[in-house]
Amino acid sequence: MSDDNESNEILNEFLVESYEGLDQLDRDLIELESRGSSPELIGRVFRCVHTIKGTCGFLGFGTLESVAHVGENLLSKVRDGAIGISPELTSTLLSMIDAVRGMLNDIEAEGKERDTDHSALIARLTALTDGTATETLVARPDVAMSVGQSHTPARRIGDILVEQGHVNEGDVAAAMQEQESGVEARVGEILVARGVTSASSVKEALDTQQDARASHVADSSIRVDVSLLDRLMNLVGELVLARNQILQCTASNADSALVGTTQRLNLITSELQEGVMKTRMQPIGNVWSKFPRVVRDLAVTCGKQVTMVMEGAETELDKTIIEAIKDPLTHIVRNSIDHGIESPRDRVMNDKSPEGRLVLRAFHEGGQVNIEIIDDGAGIDPARLRNKAIEKGLLTAEAAARLSDREALHLIFAPGFSTAAKITNVSGRGVGMDVVKTNIEKIGGTVDVTSTQGVGTTLRIKIPLTLAIIPGLIVGSGGDRFAIPQVSLLELVRLEAEEARQRVEMIYDSPVYRLRGKLLPLVRLNHILGRAHTPWPNEAGASEDALNIVILQTDGIPFGLVVDQINDTEEIVVKPLGKLIKSISAFAGATIMGDGRVALILDVHGLAQRAGLLANHDRDRAAAEQRAETRTAGEPTQTLLLFGFGGSHRMALPLSEIARLEEFSPNMVEHTGRYDVVQYRDRIMPLVRLATVLEGVTSTANDTDLLQVIVYAHEDQYVGLVVDQILDIVESTVNVQRRRRAGTVLGSAVIQDKVTDILDIRRLVHGVEEDFLATSTPIESREVALHG
């Protein structure tokens, strides 16, 4: 069924373009005759006839192709100046146009050409081309009248009556002979007069003919400049904003007439918006149509055999997005053939079919369009990507070793990265995949890659249906409003205070919510945007308000975004960001709300990145793989926190010794005795700046920087260790080379291929506690002493 629809669309497009071209030819030929000669007009006439000839040959319309072919030959001589413009030439070309128009009418009405004799016209065109024409052609009255007239399907009344079973072909032929002999009556009237059929049958045939004219394919479509559609879309966007404002103003109005009018305006605006958006939608098959040729040529160039399969070519996208993804998709297809699919010899050696398979698949899901480019080639080797990144200086050996396989695969999107053994005219210059990713992200999309060695590679692209108007969830945080694109929204959860205390858990001091048996990481929007820290439900000083959680997903990773309020969904008009905040990854755009205020549109992927969720996801998976390998080897492991000073000095301590990781503003620091302190959880917590108490440690932190603090808890006392930066959490086997003289540093070990000092935090804190507690009597004891 989809192949038939596609064929019909191609045929209809051919008919519309041909009809438009013929109408223009009528005007051009008349103008050409009056002007005598015009290279521009002659070139335009030639190109139109050439296009019709080439397309009808492709579609298998032989008779039409033969007429257009001899007309093209004649016009070629005219274009070259070998034949001059004359009334005879113009009349013959106009006759050719009418013949072509008649054949197009037949094709539209019946889906095929009629067996019509055009030998006289072809002979006349050939004679003019060869210069052997001797007679002056006088245009027939019916031909002259047809010039400039609209084209209607050439279904005669007699043919329709035969099709409907009211008469036979012999009756129609006899009626037409009577008409040609001089009887001034129509075919239908003659048939009724002869008693062959009834007047009602002729009326039915006339109605059928009129319906055919009304449904003419050229009259059912119109060409509109894209810039006009863009302007119309912008105006509809402004109308949507005005609609939103009116809805908000009348929400509390008791005037029933005004409310009814507003609702009507809302309905009309929504229908207008949907209609305008549909005018801009095009099937993705318009982009894919050139790929079979690209695949065929590249396969021949690379000495490979490739079969291409396209699924979901009818999936529609906004024209702007269609144009934006054209070049990225072309590059991905070229890469799949050049890098992905092996040569027939290599495939046979690996027990594969000698012919590779490339699949292009498109489908709608969750308000987005998903595009998959799948090949059954050799796949991508993550180890090779790591080595190439080190070789090109993109990563250090240590950083490359820490990459998970998923992270390593994404190196193909790094600027200047290529694994091609040699530069060819197909690929290998290290430009392309980074541009692909950039262009996809510019239109609000994402690109991901998965690969299995020996099996193949899949690139998945997710892009919005349109960029202009999208549904969004309006949320409040810190007194401001934000919009979240609905395509990233999974569900909403509200937890009352007591329920939140029970169901929000802390794992490694990170909050998680157990949703249907799965742990979901939680982040507060206020925290991501750098606002004041708000305690979680099971922390001291937590609010008694309900917890509002917006469950979002990006790159297949779900997480919960905690906001202050969840409002309603609205159709929001996306406006570009200004230069000052364009580079902030947390925001994707802005919109104007119903009250005229601006609200920022959140970038869900950017939020996840800023919260460290994507890195944590890969790190946790890598850690799990590492733990599995360690258990297999039977070696003991430890989970360690890595932190550093001055960019080069690295230290570690067991994660089990740590209560929390915190950040404090410098203005929160106070002083008591010889210690810096902060007020922390209703207690006074001394701060130990390790750079000042440990030998050989130098800090590069500024006085204005946030303090990175490792909190150690012993009984009811907290001690904060101030470091320059928190580096990572790793699970690894540790072979400590101990120092001869005991101290706060136990010794050193090689962790992540770097020498790292192991801190004895208990020994360090013990000295602090003794000194601090000796000079700071607890409040309860002091009160007893004062009143004793």
Side-chain angles (χ1 to χ4, degrees):
M1 180 63 74
S2 60
D3 291 341
D4 292 340
N5 291 338
E6 186 176 351
S7 299
N8 290 335
E9 289 177 5
I10 294 174
L11 178 59
N12 288 340
E13 187 174 348
F14 163 67
L15 291 171
V16 171
E17 290 183 354
S18 298
Y19 282 138
E20 290 179 352
L22 293 177
D23 288 344
Q24 184 64 43
L25 280 182
D26 283 339
R27 296 189 291 271
D28 287 346
L29 286 174
I30 298 301
E31 183 180 354
L32 193 59
E33 185 179 33
S34 64
R35 292 171 60 175
S37 179
S38 169
E40 179 185 353
L41 284 175
I42 294 173
R44 191 160 68 191
V45 170
F46 175 83
R47 286 193 299 272
C48 179
V49 175
H50 174 74
T51 300
I52 292 175
K53 184 205 78 169
T55 309
C56 67
F58 170 76
L59 294 174
F61 300 130
T63 305
L64 177 56
E65 181 184 16
S66 62
V67 173
H69 178 66
V70 291
E72 180 188 25
N73 290 341
L74 175 58
L75 286 168
S76 178
K77 289 285 188 74
V78 175
R79 185 184 60 176
D80 296 339
I83 299 176
I85 304 296
S86 66
E88 181 181 7
L89 176 76
T90 304
S91 297
T92 304
L93 288 174
L94 288 172
S95 297
M96 179 201 71
I97 292 172
D98 291 329
V100 170
R101 183 178 283 123
M103 286 185 278
L104 290 175
N105 289 339
D106 293 338
I107 292 170
E108 181 184 350
E110 303 178 14
K112 62 181 180 180
E113 296 176 306
R114 284 186 179 177
D115 188 14
T116 307
D117 184 12
H118 296 285
S119 56
L121 175 62
I122 292 175
R124 190 68 190 174
L125 289 166
T126 303
L128 284 171
T129 304
D130 298 339
T132 58
T134 57
E135 299 180 9
T136 301
L137 180 68
V138 179
R140 302 192 315 272
D142 60 331
V143 172
M145 290 177 62
S146 70
V147 175
Q149 290 180 351
S150 64
H151 31 266
T152 57
R155 297 191 68 200
R156 296 173 296 185
I157 293 297
D159 296 332
I160 296 173
L161 288 169
V162 171
E163 290 176 5
Q164 294 177 344
H166 298 302
V167 297
N168 57 47
E169 293 181 357
D171 293 331
V172 174
M176 292 181 67
Q177 287 177 358
E178 188 173 340
Q179 189 183 50
E180 291 173 0
S181 66
V183 176
E184 294 185 1
R186 297 177 181 178
V187 172
E189 294 172 344
I190 295 173
L191 290 171
V192 173
R194 294 178 59 187
V196 177
T197 188
S198 63
S200 61
S201 298
V202 175
K203 172 90 168 48
E204 182 184 352
L206 286 170
D207 291 341
T208 302
Q209 186 185 58
Q210 185 61 35
D211 291 341
R213 285 183 177 139
S215 62
H216 188 50
V217 64
D219 298 330
S220 63
S221 63
I222 185 172
R223 292 179 182 268
V224 180
D225 190 84
V226 174
S227 62
L228 179 61
L229 287 180
D230 289 340
R231 175 165 172 74
L232 188 59
M233 175 61 82
N234 290 335
L235 290 174
V236 169
E238 296 300 324
L239 178 61
V240 169
L241 291 176
R243 185 270 314 268
N244 292 345
Q245 292 177 349
I246 292 174
L247 287 176
Q248 182 163 331
C249 291
T250 58
S252 57
N253 197 299
D255 187 339
S256 59
L258 179 59
V259 171
T261 303
T262 302
Q263 291 175 347
R264 179 66 177 162
L265 173 64
N266 182 26
L267 178 62
I268 294 172
T269 303
S270 299
E271 291 181 354
L272 178 62
Q273 172 195 334
E274 183 179 356
V276 172
M277 290 177 69
K278 283 183 177 178
T279 63
R280 297 171 53 87
M281 303 299 279
Q282 291 187 336
I284 198 172
N286 290 359
V287 177
W288 288 0
S289 59
K290 68 175 182 178
F291 287 158
R293 173 70 183 273
V294 172
V295 170
R296 183 259 176 198
D297 290 349
L298 278 178
V300 171
T301 302
C302 299
K304 298 175 180 179
Q305 300 175 16
V306 183
T307 298
M308 186 174 185
V309 179
M310 294 185 288
E311 303 174 0
E314 69 282 356
T315 304
E316 290 189 330
L317 278 169
D318 188 282
K319 179 175 175 58
T320 304
I321 298 180
I322 286 279
E323 294 299 322
I325 65 172
K326 187 181 300 181
D327 290 340
L329 287 181
T330 302
H331 190 88
I332 293 173
V333 168
R334 292 168 66 90
N335 263 13
S336 296
I337 297 171
D338 188 33
H339 287 303
I341 296 177
E342 316 95 321
S343 66
R345 179 175 177 274
D346 291 341
R347 291 179 64 87
V348 170
M349 291 178 61
N350 293 319
D351 296 328
K352 290 184 175 181
S353 166
E355 190 173 65
R357 192 167 187 263
L358 180 65
V359 179
L360 266 66
R361 180 181 298 133
F363 56 93
H364 287 133
E365 184 180 70
Q368 289 183 305
V369 172
N370 291 252
I371 304 173
E372 296 180 348
I373 303 95
I374 308 167
D375 68 66
D376 66 345
I380 304 175
D381 183 3
R384 186 182 176 200
L385 296 179
R386 293 186 183 96
N387 293 335
K388 201 71 178 181
I390 297 171
E391 176 186 323
K392 287 182 171 290
L394 299 175
L395 289 175
T396 63
E398 177 192 348
R402 290 202 303 266
L403 292 180
S404 66
D405 285 351
R406 181 175 183 272
E407 290 174 312
L409 287 177
H410 280 74
L411 286 172
I412 65 173
F413 300 114
F417 190 86
S418 174
T419 58
K422 61 179 180 180
I423 294 176
T424 68
N425 62 344
V426 178
S427 58
R429 297 188 181 273
V431 294
M433 291 308 291
D434 60 323
V435 178
V436 166
K437 188 173 187 291
T438 300
N439 289 346
I440 295 298
E441 289 178 345
K442 276 182 181 178
I443 57 174
T446 60
V447 58
D448 191 20
V449 58
T450 58
S451 184
T452 303
Q453 284 187 264
V455 177
T457 301
T458 298
L459 273 105
R460 292 183 178 87
I461 298 173
K462 292 186 178 183
I463 48 181
L465 288 172
T466 181
L467 302 179
I469 303 173
I470 61 172
L473 176 69
I474 309 302
V475 300
S477 183
D480 293 321
R481 285 180 299 180
F482 302 91
I484 302 175
Q486 200 161 309
V487 295
S488 302
L489 177 63
L490 296 181
E491 60 183 290
L492 303 175
V493 175
R494 177 182 172 88
L495 300 178
E496 297 302 329
E498 183 58 34
E499 185 182 10
R501 279 191 288 268
Q502 295 175 357
R503 301 189 61 181
V504 174
E505 307 171 35
M506 305 298 290
I507 297 182
Y508 289 137
D509 294 330
S510 298
V512 295
Y513 168 62
R514 194 175 297 276
L515 179 64
R516 291 186 287 275
K518 293 185 177 180
L519 293 179
L520 193 74
L522 298 180
V523 293
R524 283 191 186 272
L525 182 56
N526 281 341
H527 295 177
I528 296 177
L529 300 181
R531 295 179 172 180
H533 180 83
T534 305
W536 291 100
N538 46 13
E539 293 182 338
S543 170
E544 291 298 318
D545 295 334
L547 200 67
N548 298 303
I549 306 174
V550 182
I551 311 298
L552 303 171
Q553 178 169 295
T554 180
D555 277 2
I557 303 170
F559 68 97
L561 183 70
V562 178
V563 297
D564 295 344
Q565 301 97 26
I566 295 176
N567 299 324
D568 202 354
T569 58
E570 286 187 19
E571 294 286 335
I572 58 175
V573 180
V574 180
K575 301 288 186 180
L577 291 171
K579 293 181 179 179
L580 293 177
I581 58 176
K582 191 173 183 179
S583 60
I584 302 177
S585 60
F587 306 124
T591 189
I592 302 174
M593 304 301 297
D595 57 3
R597 294 169 58 194
V598 174
L600 291 171
I601 302 172
L602 298 177
D603 184 330
V604 174
H605 188 78
L607 290 177
Q609 283 183 324
R610 289 173 69 92
L613 296 177
L614 302 183
N616 290 344
H617 179 78
D618 291 328
R619 185 194 66 199
D620 293 344
R621 186 171 65 176
E625 293 172 355
Q626 189 177 15
R627 285 195 297 270
E629 293 174 0
T630 302
R631 280 193 292 269
T632 302
E635 297 178 3
T637 62
Q638 277 188 290
T639 302
L640 303 171
L641 174 71
L642 299 180
F643 53 95
F645 300 88
S648 60
H649 197 125
R650 289 162 50 98
M651 301 192 76
L653 57 86
L655 191 64
S656 58
E657 302 282 356
I658 301 170
R660 289 186 64 83
L661 301 177
E662 297 284 3
E663 286 184 340
F664 295 109
S665 172
N667 58 20
M668 296 176 63
V669 179
E670 302 177 65
H671 305 278
T672 175
R674 63 188 184 90
Y675 284 98
D676 290 340
V677 297
V678 293
Q679 297 180 32
Y680 184 70
R681 296 192 174 187
D682 299 327
R683 290 177 174 82
I684 300 174
M685 180 172 72
L687 298 179
V688 179
R689 300 180 185 269
L690 293 184
T692 63
V693 299
L694 296 179
E695 184 179 349
V697 176
T698 304
S699 174
T700 57
N702 297 321
D703 294 339
T704 58
D705 292 342
L706 288 174
L707 300 182
Q708 306 292 319
V709 178
I710 301 171
V711 179
Y712 174 82
H714 178 62
E715 296 179 353
D716 61 347
Q717 179 63 47
Y718 293 111
V719 176
L721 308 182
V722 182
V723 301
D724 277 8
Q725 55 185 330
I726 304 296
L727 298 177
D728 203 353
I729 296 175
V730 299
E731 188 165 345
S732 175
T733 57
V734 180
N735 296 314
V736 179
Q737 183 175 333
R738 294 183 177 273
R739 297 186 178 180
R740 292 183 178 179
R741 188 171 58 184
T744 53
V745 176
L746 288 173
S748 302
V750 177
I751 302 175
Q752 293 182 338
D753 298 327
K754 284 196 172 183
V755 176
T756 305
D757 288 340
I758 308 299
L759 181 67
D760 186 344
I761 191 170
R762 295 190 181 189
R763 182 184 291 271
L764 175 68
V765 170
H766 180 70
V768 174
E769 284 183 329
E770 286 186 343
D771 188 15
F772 182 77
L773 293 177
T775 59
S776 59
T777 307
I779 293 176
E780 296 84 352
S781 301
R782 188 163 65 244
E783 288 179 346
V784 171
L786 289 173
H787 291 86

